């Protein structure tokens, strides 16, 4: 499956944004999906994941309460809505697809190219 992330940009602290991930090539609903992010000089970290049926979601402590992951299997799309953004949310955000939803990057077979989110203070 090919993944294309979009929606990043420059946002002021306290603002919100919605990231999108368009999937193509295989049956989107077969996959657990997730968002990860990587800040400059840091390792890639888990943000949120969602099962294929959207019946279970899980969030990193750093974004819980400020982020909502969702998907639309009919549109082959994954979303991440974030509000109350902080400068420490600045990172390249990646969407990922794998057999199951997981917090572990190694569980995902497919990755998007990333979209940069910059939060100014």
């Amino acid at each position: 499956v090919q993944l294309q992330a979009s929606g990043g940009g420059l946002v002021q602290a306290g603002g919100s944004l919605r990231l999108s991930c368009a999937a193509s090539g295989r049956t989107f609903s077969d996959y657990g999906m997730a968002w990860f992010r990587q800040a400059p000089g840091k390792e890639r970290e888990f943000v949120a994941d969602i099962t294929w049926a959207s019946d279970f979601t899980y969030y990193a402590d750093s974004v819980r309460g400020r982020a909502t992951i969702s998907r639309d299997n009919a549109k082959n799309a994954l979303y991440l809505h974030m509000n109350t953004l902080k400068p420490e949310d600045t990172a390249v955000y990646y969407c990922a697809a794998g057999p199951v939803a997981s917090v572990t990057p190694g569980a995902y077979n497919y990755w998007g190219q990333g979209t940069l989110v910059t939060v100014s203070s």
Side-chain angles (χ1 to χ4, degrees):
V1 61
Q2 291 79 46
L3 303 175
Q4 179 79 30
S6 62
L10 177 63
V11 184
Q12 286 192 330
S16 63
L17 56 71
R18 187 180 80 160
L19 303 181
S20 299
C21 177
S24 61
R26 292 195 180 211
T27 305
F28 180 68
S29 59
D30 285 346
Y31 295 94
M33 301 292 297
W35 288 96
F36 289 79
R37 66 185 182 185
Q38 188 166 17
K42 296 187 177 181
E43 293 187 354
R44 190 169 299 190
E45 66 173 0
F46 170 80
V47 176
D49 66 15
I50 186 168
T51 54
W52 70 272
S54 301
D55 54 350
F56 185 78
T57 58
Y58 186 74
Y59 298 91
D61 289 344
S62 57
V63 303
R64 187 173 291 117
R66 301 188 297 120
T68 302
I69 187 171
S70 62
R71 64 191 294 167
D72 186 335
N73 288 342
K75 295 183 178 180
N76 291 346
L78 174 74
Y79 306 102
L80 181 70
H81 185 267
M82 293 188 66
N83 54 44
T84 320
L85 285 162
K86 306 175 183 179
E88 50 263 45
D89 293 318
T90 295
V92 176
Y93 284 72
Y94 298 90
C95 54
V100 295
S102 171
V103 303
T104 306
Y108 295 92
N109 307 101
Y110 305 100
W111 292 83
Q113 86 291 354
T115 185
L116 176 62
V117 174
T118 303
V119 183
S120 63
S121 58

